[in-house]
């Protein structure tokens, strides 16, 4: 498979050489490279002729160029090459480079139109007794609705209502209980909040009822791995879908946090999730992807993921990132969940600068304030 990599330092450069099976790692490669399959040589040759150097290895090859070089060479080779396989790879290269350049594709919801041109805030509303940072605070429907309305007034662009904690080691709850917790809150917020409502669930039954009650988004932390009926429910209900990456279940996911190549494996597994969504009949422009910080990831994995997040924009879908108050931030600051606002804002800022389209956060007002600065810096011109 073809994939774009952003080499920022020596460790990235060595890892890219290893992925291509180069006998001697070059520690000094920097910038964007395309990791290509070892064949067809026609593609490598075509790229060289268009001015893109190609380093060959035993299991692959690295094409070195700026995004615009990779895009334009891919495009012209997709027209010029006769071999079908090489042509398809060249077209894929151009498409991926185009996605990274363009960034932040729109996310279509069934009824609401999300604002464009800035990074969006999805506010967390946990109607649970045991969520890791706000468990028990909004377990009663009235308190949850009130908090949801406050988050919307503070500038949240979407409200994500959840009735089952997914923190490491949490106990699963029945669909009945999840519905009892979330449905009255979804119904009321759809009527009163003035922003689209998302249901954070992996269960088809919960999603169906929430969509019927007016939820426009289903946020599935299992990436359509847990309930085989969920994709069809989302497609039939016309809802948008967020597919998050995780391995295993909240009970065993931290034992599964082992990767030979974190970004490569994450890329492949998110692509599989995207295919599951498309096969279920969800239109591509309704799907967002989420690398799943803290889900089958160690603290080090979360940091690496934030540093190289931009690589995942090659998948061509909006990226949602949830770092808010998570334990890797507590490890850095030594502070408990309720006191991780500063760390959460720093992580949100990094994610926004590295290509995230939406941030899933507990603190809507503070995040919107920080994002106003990020967006102003991003759009400043000379
Ligand atoms: N994180 C949590 C829950 N749902 N959904 C997406 N898309 N991305 C995330 O990072 C994500 C998520 C965990 O956070 P929280 O809801 O605050 O805690 P809990 O699972 O304990 O309710």
């Amino acid at each position: 498979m073809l994939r774009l990599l952003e080499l920022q330092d020596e460790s990235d450069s060595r890892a890219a050489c290893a992925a291509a099976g180069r006998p001697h790692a070059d520690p000094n490669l920097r910038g964007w490279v395309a990791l290509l399959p070892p064949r067809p040589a026609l593609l490598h040759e075509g790229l060289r002729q268009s001015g893109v150097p190609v380093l060959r290895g035993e299991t692959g090859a690295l094409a070195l160029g700026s995004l615009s070089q990779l895009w334009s060479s891919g495009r012209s080779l997709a027209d010029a090459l006769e071999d079908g396989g090489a042509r398809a790879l060249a077209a894929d290269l151009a498409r991926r480079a185009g996605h990274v350049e363009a960034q932040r594709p729109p996310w279509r919801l069934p009824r609401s139109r999300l604002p464009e041109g800035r990074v969006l805030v999805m506010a967390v509303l946990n109607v649970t007794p045991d969520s890791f940072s706000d468990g028990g605070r909004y377990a009663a429907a009235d308190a949850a609705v009130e908090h949801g309305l406050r988050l919307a007034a503070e500038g949240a662009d979407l409200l994500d209502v959840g009735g089952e904690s997914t923190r490491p080691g949490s106990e699963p709850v029945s669909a009945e209980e999840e519905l009892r917790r979330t449905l009255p809150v979804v119904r009321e917020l759809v009527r009163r909040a003035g922003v689209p409502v998302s249901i954070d669930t992996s269960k088809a039954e919960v999603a169906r009822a929430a969509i019927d009650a007016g939820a426009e988004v289903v946020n599935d932390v299992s990436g359509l791995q847990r309930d085989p009926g969920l994709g069809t429910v989302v497609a039939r209900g016309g809802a948008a879908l967020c597919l998050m990456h995780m391995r295993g279940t909240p009970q065993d996911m931290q034992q599964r946090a082992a990767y030979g190549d974190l970004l490569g494996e994450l890329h492949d597994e998110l692509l599989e999730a995207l295919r599951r969504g498309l096969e279920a009949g969800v239109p591509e422009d309704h799907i967002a992807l989420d690398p799943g910080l803290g889900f089958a990831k160690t603290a080090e994995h979360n940091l690496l993921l934030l540093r190289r997040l931009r690589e995942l924009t090659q998948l061509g879908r909006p990226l949602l990132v949830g770092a808010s108050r998570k334990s890797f931030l507590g490890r850095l600051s030594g502070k408990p969940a309720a006191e991780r606002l500063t760390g959460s804002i720093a992580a949100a800022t990094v994610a926004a600068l590295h290509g995230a389209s939406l941030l899933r956060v507990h603190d809507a007002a503070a995040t919107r304030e920080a994002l106003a600065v990020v967006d102003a810096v991003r759009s400043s011109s000379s």
Side-chain angles (χ1 to χ4, degrees):
M1 184 179 323
L2 185 156
R3 181 161 59 90
L4 296 178
L5 288 74
E6 188 183 20
L7 312 184
Q8 301 173 10
D9 64 16
E10 212 176 294
S11 72
D12 298 341
S13 180
R14 289 185 191 282
C17 290
R22 303 259 304 155
H24 302 292
D26 182 340
N28 298 317
L29 304 176
R30 292 292 183 276
W32 287 94
V33 304
L35 175 62
L36 306 171
R39 267 173 293 279
L42 266 177
L43 175 67
H44 306 165
E45 210 33 60
L47 285 166
R48 275 203 198 100
Q49 281 172 11
S50 66
V52 173
V54 177
L55 309 177
R56 297 187 64 175
E58 276 163 23
T59 52
L62 297 173
L64 319 178
S66 67
L67 284 174
S68 56
Q69 271 175 318
L70 294 171
W71 176 79
S72 61
S73 305
R75 252 179 66 134
S76 36
L77 290 172
D79 287 337
L81 288 171
E82 307 231 312
D83 172 86
R87 212 171 42 222
L89 281 166
D92 193 24
L93 173 62
R95 196 165 37 241
R96 284 165 182 269
H99 288 324
V100 179
E101 277 276 29
Q103 283 193 40
R104 299 186 183 82
W107 191 22
R108 303 264 175 245
L109 268 46
R111 291 179 298 282
S112 305
R113 209 187 149 90
L114 290 171
E116 291 184 22
R118 65 174 173 81
V119 178
L120 303 179
V121 168
M122 173 190 257
V124 180
L125 183 54
N126 285 318
V127 197
T128 58
D130 58 344
S131 287
F132 80 93
S133 93
D134 51 0
R137 282 191 69 183
Y138 314 112
D142 296 359
V145 170
E146 209 175 293
H147 185 54
L149 295 175
R150 191 164 45 239
L151 290 165
E154 285 176 5
D157 298 293
L158 292 131
L159 298 173
D160 188 35
V161 180
E164 177 181 49
S165 172
T166 48
R167 70 177 199 288
S170 56
E171 285 300 315
V173 301
S174 67
E176 250 177 354
E177 176 60 14
E178 221 181 300
L179 278 170
R180 190 193 64 74
R181 293 175 184 177
T182 54
L183 205 54
V185 179
V186 168
R187 206 173 275 132
E188 200 60 12
L189 289 175
V190 164
R191 204 167 64 80
R192 294 169 60 193
V195 293
V197 174
S198 157
I199 179 78
D200 185 350
T201 189
S202 294
K203 299 189 184 82
E205 194 181 332
V206 177
R208 188 184 297 114
I211 293 169
D212 288 347
E216 294 194 57
V217 175
V218 174
N219 172 25
D220 176 16
V221 296
S222 86
L224 293 184
Q225 293 188 93
R226 184 158 153 192
D227 187 334
L230 181 57
T232 316
V233 163
V234 175
R236 290 209 181 123
L241 178 63
C242 175
L243 295 168
M244 198 195 77
H245 175 269
M246 79 181 290
R247 287 177 177 175
T249 63
Q251 290 73 52
D252 67 3
M253 64 186 176
Q254 291 314 96
Q255 284 95 282
R256 293 170 180 247
Y259 301 83
D261 168 9
L262 176 70
L263 267 297
E265 291 169 44
L266 206 68
H267 165 278
D268 294 355
E269 289 168 35
L270 279 172
L271 195 56
E272 279 167 29
L274 177 59
R275 289 198 180 123
R276 283 193 288 276
L278 297 173
E279 272 163 26
V282 183
E284 186 160 5
D285 64 359
H286 276 202
I287 300 178
L289 300 174
D290 182 335
L293 293 180
F295 288 82
K297 320 276 180 327
T298 63
E300 288 69 29
H301 292 144
N302 295 333
L303 299 173
L304 175 58
L305 227 163
L306 280 172
R307 176 165 74 78
R308 290 182 57 183
L309 184 71
R310 193 180 296 281
E311 283 177 37
L312 297 177
T313 60
Q314 70 188 284
L315 292 167
R317 301 309 316 135
L319 296 178
L320 195 154
V321 175
S324 183
R325 301 188 188 174
K326 284 190 176 164
S327 65
F328 74 105
L329 301 173
R331 276 194 25 175
L332 295 170
S333 65
K335 293 188 170 169
E339 293 169 32
R340 293 180 191 153
L341 175 61
T342 311
S344 300
I345 295 291
T349 305
V350 172
L353 283 171
H354 290 182
S357 289
L358 301 105
L359 303 171
R360 184 179 179 278
V361 303
H362 299 84
D363 303 283
T367 311
R368 271 300 291 271
E369 192 177 331
L371 286 178
V373 177
V374 175
D375 286 323
V377 171
R378 279 180 45 234
S379 58
S380 64
S381 54
S382 51

